[in-house]
Amino acid sequence: QAQPAESGGGSVQTGGSLRLSCAGSGLTFNRYAISWYRQAPGKERELVIRIEGSGVPTYDLTSVKGRFFISRDYDKNAVYLQMNSLKPEDTAVYFCCLPSVCGQGTQVTVSS
């Protein structure tokens, strides 16, 4: 599995929105379940949300329910994470992960 590439991170104020992108490559990217993890300073990495190869979301962290939405574009070999109503506790490095490899991450910072 080729390493995916995240983009779209940045700094926003509380209540703002960001859309993260995960770009994949290869003929099989679209078959894989894609997960977004995040890791805040001093904390362990946690699973935030996942989408199956079929396009069905199968998991989201309780604290992001109703605020974060995942989707995928098969034509572009991409997965998106739409993050709305952002809170300071969402501040973290966000990683896009295939079953056996993650990208290098993109920083999301939410200020109060």
Side-chain angles (χ1 to χ4, degrees), residues 8-12 15-21 67-69 81-86 94 107-110:
S11 296
V12 296
S17 297
L18 285 172
R19 189 177 82 152
L20 305 184
S21 298
R67 300 189 298 122
F68 288 16
F69 303 93
L81 176 59
Q82 179 67 43
M83 305 187 296
N84 301 324
S85 301
L86 283 161
Y94 284 72
Q107 176 71 46
V108 171
T109 303
V110 185

Side-chain angles (χ1 to χ4, degrees), residues 1-105:
Q1 297 171 5
Q3 184 177 41
E6 304 95 337
S7 61
S11 296
V12 296
Q13 293 187 330
T14 298
S17 297
L18 285 172
R19 189 177 82 152
L20 305 184
S21 298
C22 173
S25 62
L27 299 177
T28 58
F29 177 84
N30 287 336
R31 300 179 190 173
Y32 293 124
I34 304 297
S35 302
W36 284 97
Y37 286 79
R38 69 186 181 187
Q39 187 165 19
K43 296 187 177 181
E44 293 188 354
R45 189 176 294 192
E46 64 179 353
L47 175 62
V48 177
I49 197 165
R50 174 184 291 139
I51 188 167
E52 298 297 326
S54 63
V56 176
T58 54
Y59 176 85
D60 51 350
L61 191 65
T62 299
S63 62
V64 308
K65 284 184 184 295
R67 300 189 298 122
F68 288 16
F69 303 93
I70 192 168
S71 61
R72 62 192 311 163
D73 185 328
Y74 295 99
D75 290 334
K76 295 182 178 179
N77 276 7
V79 170
Y80 304 104
L81 176 59
Q82 179 67 43
M83 305 187 296
N84 301 324
S85 301
L86 283 161
K87 305 175 181 180
E89 51 263 43
D90 294 318
T91 295
V93 178
Y94 284 72
F95 300 89
C96 170
C97 298
L98 278 67
S100 62
V101 63
C102 294
Q104 295 189 349

